[in-house]
């Protein structure tokens, strides 16, 4: 009798694994393809527009723009509080408490954004010249608007990224056209900073639209609990610190070049860096899309979890090697 029960349990476990491996794999693959398609489309449009804008602004103004963005980007991890992966994990494991998770996470990120903006404006007020201060102050507004990115995380946890990809693509086209119009009108640098804010504002509106119309859910159902907020923060602060270190590593070079040399050199350097940074989206997209699947596989069995992690690592390694070889062999053509 005991053997029969164990056999039945093993059979059901295998059935569950097969479902996750077949049906689940197709769902996550489709979601990943949507993300990759969206990012490739966005990058293609953004690259064309960025080249146009860079040539119009010239090395000095383009350098000032990238310096201001890099300065703000240093503080984005403080605003996000390292919650991104934690939110997806909580939504996957406790999908019935999504309103509590989203409401509490939004409140934490909004508070973090306000603190980050205060620090940014305070530092730039004392250490930056007038034009840089205004650019930094305007661009810092994107930090508050990015609080609504938790809706994107909600879609990731439910493997429904197609809505976000479509919205992101439309916003990219609109903002791309806006920047081209600014170039044709010979607009001042500050208007390009406002265009960046406008892009994040449109994305926030699109996320709210997706949540209410496509997913048929309401933001007013979100709720906040101090105890849960404390628990999230205690788990996320090491991730926030790690994100801050990565942000410093990624952006400090442009800030140093501006303060040591000039905005002209920052403009030249920023244009070259984009060629290498253009590929960074791939590992982030793949891991973000497959993260819910990995979390679920851990609940099924350690064997399935290790198998999926091994497949992910192998795929990421060979993808990176392939890109590195292609870019290295064709670097002269790409730069030209």
């Amino acid at each position: 009798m005991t053997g029969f029960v164990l056999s039945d349990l093993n059979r059901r476990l295998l059935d569950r694994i097969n479902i996750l491996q077949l049906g689940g794999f197709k769902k996550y693959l489709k979601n990943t393809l949507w993300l990759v398609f969206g990012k490739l489309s966005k990058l293609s449009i953004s690259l064309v527009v960025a080249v146009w804008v860079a040539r119009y602004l010239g090395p000095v103004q383009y350098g000032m723009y990238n310096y201001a963005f890099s300065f703000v980007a240093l503080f984005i991890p403080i605003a996000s509080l390292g919650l991104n992966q934690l939110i997806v994990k909580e939504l996957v494991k406790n999908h019935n408490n999504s309103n509590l998770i989203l409401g509490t996470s939004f409140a934490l990120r909004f508070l973090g954004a306000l603190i980050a903006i205060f620090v940014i404006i305070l530092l730039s007020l004392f250490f930056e010249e007038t034009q840089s201060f205004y650019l930094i102050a305007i661009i810092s507004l994107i930090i508050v608007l990015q609080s609504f990115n938790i809706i994107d995380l909600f879609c990731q946890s439910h493997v429904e990224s197609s809505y976000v990809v479509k919205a992101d693509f439309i916003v990219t086209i609109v903002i791309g056209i806006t920047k081209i119009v600014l170039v044709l009108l010979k607009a001042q640098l500050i208007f390009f900073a406002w265009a960046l804010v406008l892009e994040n504002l449109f994305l926030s509106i699109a996320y709210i639209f997706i949540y209410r119309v496509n997913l048929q859910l309401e933001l007013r159902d979100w709720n906040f609990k101090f105890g849960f907020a404390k628990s999230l923060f205690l788990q996320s602060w090491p991730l926030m610190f790690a994100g801050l270190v990565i942000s410093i590593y990624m952006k400090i070079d442009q800030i140093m070049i501006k303060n040591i040399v000039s905005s002209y050199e920052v403009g030249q350097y920023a244009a070259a860096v984009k060629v290498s940074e253009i590929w960074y989206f791939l590992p982030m997209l793949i891991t973000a899309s497959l993260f819910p699947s990995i979390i679920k596989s851990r609940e099924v069995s350690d064997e399935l979890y290790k198998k999926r992690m091994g497949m992910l690592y192998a795929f990421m390694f060979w993808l990176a090697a392939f890109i590195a070889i292609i870019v290295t062999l064709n670097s002269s053509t790409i730069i030209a």
Side-chain angles (χ1 to χ4, degrees):
M1 181 67 178
T2 304
F4 175 77
V5 172
L6 289 174
S7 176
D8 184 58
L9 286 173
N10 288 334
R11 180 181 57 78
R12 282 186 289 175
L13 179 60
L14 288 173
D15 287 343
R16 188 177 178 187
I17 292 174
N18 288 333
I19 291 171
L20 281 171
Q21 286 180 325
L22 297 176
F25 176 77
K26 291 179 181 179
K27 185 177 181 180
Y28 290 111
L29 177 61
K30 182 179 179 181
N31 191 64
T32 303
L33 290 175
W34 262 111
L35 288 170
V36 172
F37 169 77
K39 275 296 180 181
L40 283 175
S41 302
K42 182 178 180 178
L43 278 173
S44 301
I45 297 171
S46 299
L47 186 61
V48 173
V49 175
V51 170
W52 202 337
V53 171
R55 289 179 176 176
Y56 164 71
L57 293 176
V60 176
Q61 291 196 87
Y62 190 64
M64 293 179 66
Y65 175 84
N66 279 276
Y67 170 77
F69 179 78
S70 296
F71 191 94
V72 172
L74 285 177
F75 298 89
I76 288 178
I78 297 176
S80 64
L81 298 175
L83 286 171
N84 287 4
Q85 289 187 337
L86 193 59
I87 292 172
V88 175
K89 178 182 175 182
E90 290 293 331
L91 288 169
V92 171
K93 294 177 65 176
N94 305 294
H95 58 275
N96 292 328
N97 294 323
S98 59
N99 287 325
L100 172 63
I101 297 169
L102 292 173
T104 304
S105 301
F106 179 80
L108 285 172
R109 289 194 57 168
F110 190 81
L111 178 61
L114 294 179
I115 294 172
I117 289 176
F118 175 77
V119 174
I120 288 170
I121 292 178
L122 189 65
L123 290 175
S124 58
L125 185 63
F126 285 102
F127 297 105
E128 300 296 335
E129 66 249 19
T130 303
Q131 188 173 14
S132 292
F133 169 73
Y134 284 125
L135 285 173
I136 291 170
I138 292 169
I139 293 175
S140 68
L141 296 175
I142 70 174
I143 297 179
V144 173
L145 296 171
Q146 286 178 356
S147 299
F148 288 96
N149 287 5
I150 62 168
I151 296 176
D152 180 18
L153 300 177
F154 177 81
C155 291
Q156 289 179 27
S157 69
H158 286 71
V159 202
E160 293 288 354
S161 294
S162 60
Y163 297 125
V164 175
V165 169
K166 293 172 185 176
D168 200 8
F169 181 72
I170 293 171
V171 171
T172 299
I173 293 176
V174 172
I175 296 301
I177 294 172
T178 302
K179 289 180 178 179
I180 291 172
V181 170
L182 290 175
V183 170
L184 295 176
L185 294 176
K186 298 182 179 180
Q188 296 180 357
L189 176 59
I190 199 167
F191 287 100
F192 291 92
W194 280 115
L196 182 61
V197 176
L198 194 65
E199 179 179 4
N200 283 267
L201 175 62
F202 286 167
L203 272 177
S204 299
I205 295 172
Y207 288 152
I208 295 171
F209 179 85
I210 290 168
Y211 193 78
R212 296 192 62 188
V213 178
N214 295 111
L215 302 180
Q216 296 184 346
L217 299 168
E218 291 292 340
L219 273 68
R220 61 171 176 263
D221 293 331
W222 291 359
N223 52 77
F224 173 86
K225 284 189 178 179
F226 179 79
F228 184 61
K230 182 179 178 181
S231 174
L232 282 178
F233 181 74
L234 289 175
Q235 295 179 69
S236 68
W237 75 263
L239 297 173
M240 177 187 71
F241 180 74
L244 183 61
V245 173
I246 293 171
S247 182
I248 292 172
Y249 164 74
M250 294 286 293
K251 297 298 180 181
I252 198 65
D253 46 6
Q254 296 186 39
I255 293 175
M256 291 175 64
I257 291 172
K258 196 269 185 182
N259 286 283
I260 295 173
V261 190
S262 66
S263 296
Y264 177 89
E265 299 297 335
V266 177
Q268 299 282 8
Y269 181 80
V273 164
K274 288 188 182 299
V275 177
S276 64
E277 289 184 346
I278 196 173
W279 303 104
Y280 289 1
F281 78 96
L282 279 174
M284 290 187 292
L285 274 183
I286 294 169
T287 52
S289 181
L290 297 179
F291 189 63
S293 171
I294 293 172
I295 293 297
K296 287 184 178 180
S297 67
R298 186 67 179 269
E299 296 176 358
V300 176
S301 71
D302 286 339
E303 183 181 354
L304 179 61
Y305 169 73
K306 291 177 181 178
K307 181 180 178 182
R308 288 193 171 180
M309 288 297 290
M311 292 171 64
L312 175 62
Y313 287 142
F315 177 73
M316 297 286 274
F317 171 80
W318 289 113
L319 178 65
F322 174 76
I323 292 172
I325 292 170
I326 295 299
V327 172
T328 302
L329 295 177
N330 298 279
S331 56
S332 299
T333 304
I334 294 171
I335 292 295

